[in-house]
Amino acid sequence: MSTIASTTLAEVAYEWCTEAEIQVQPSAVAGGRNITRSVLFIGNPSTVTEVTHWAAVRHWTVEQGLKPVRELQGDVLCAIVTEAVADGTCASADAAVMQRVRARGLDCIPVSDIEPWGTARLSGALPPTSAP
């Protein structure tokens, strides 16, 4: 895998995902409260392939009415992780989050295992959502 030589691709992917996140609409739940179900993203993509997959999965997450998050809090359904996080060669802060994710019994899916435009494996990790 090639390392990203410039931050241009990463910046474009970040802007694309940020714009998509603004469009996330919380779903109504009993008691009149709003809650948005989340998908946790752990790590920082470091290759062109990872950045591409990362951005595509974040975009897909938003399209499904879910919120991509970087903090393990609230109603997190699963975690998407970089190769470094999956291999255990990540920063200690990411490793600590990974331990907490596993303690909750959440699925951890390496972003490299997800095809950029096909999220079949991710779809299997997420429980079906019901209409309010």
Side-chain angles (χ1 to χ4, degrees):
M1 294 187 163
S2 62
T3 302
I4 297 173
S6 73
T7 58
T8 305
L9 179 59
E11 288 171 355
V12 169
Y14 176 79
E15 288 173 15
W16 177 38
C17 293
T18 303
E19 288 174 14
E21 287 172 29
I22 293 169
Q23 299 172 18
V24 173
Q25 298 296 319
S27 57
V29 295
R33 295 183 340 213
N34 287 332
I35 186 167
T36 300
R37 302 174 87 192
S38 304
V39 174
L40 177 64
F41 286 77
I42 306 172
N44 294 308
S46 61
T47 65
V48 171
T49 301
E50 266 192 334
V51 169
T52 301
H53 287 199
W54 192 263
V57 173
R58 286 177 59 99
H59 184 75
W60 180 88
T61 299
V62 172
E63 287 179 340
Q64 303 308 305
L66 304 168
K67 182 178 182 182
V69 297
R70 299 289 281 180
E71 300 286 328
L72 180 58
Q73 56 186 336
D75 187 13
V76 175
L77 300 172
C78 68
I80 306 300
V81 301
T82 62
E83 185 176 328
V85 173
D87 293 344
T89 58
C90 57
S92 59
D94 290 337
V97 173
M98 197 58 181
Q99 286 179 342
R100 292 178 32 226
V101 166
R102 287 187 176 134
R104 280 195 186 186
L106 298 173
D107 287 329
C108 298
I109 305 168
V111 73
S112 59
D113 286 359
I114 302 170
E115 289 299 318
W117 311 118
T119 52
R121 181 166 178 207
L122 179 58
S123 296
L126 301 178
T129 56
S130 58

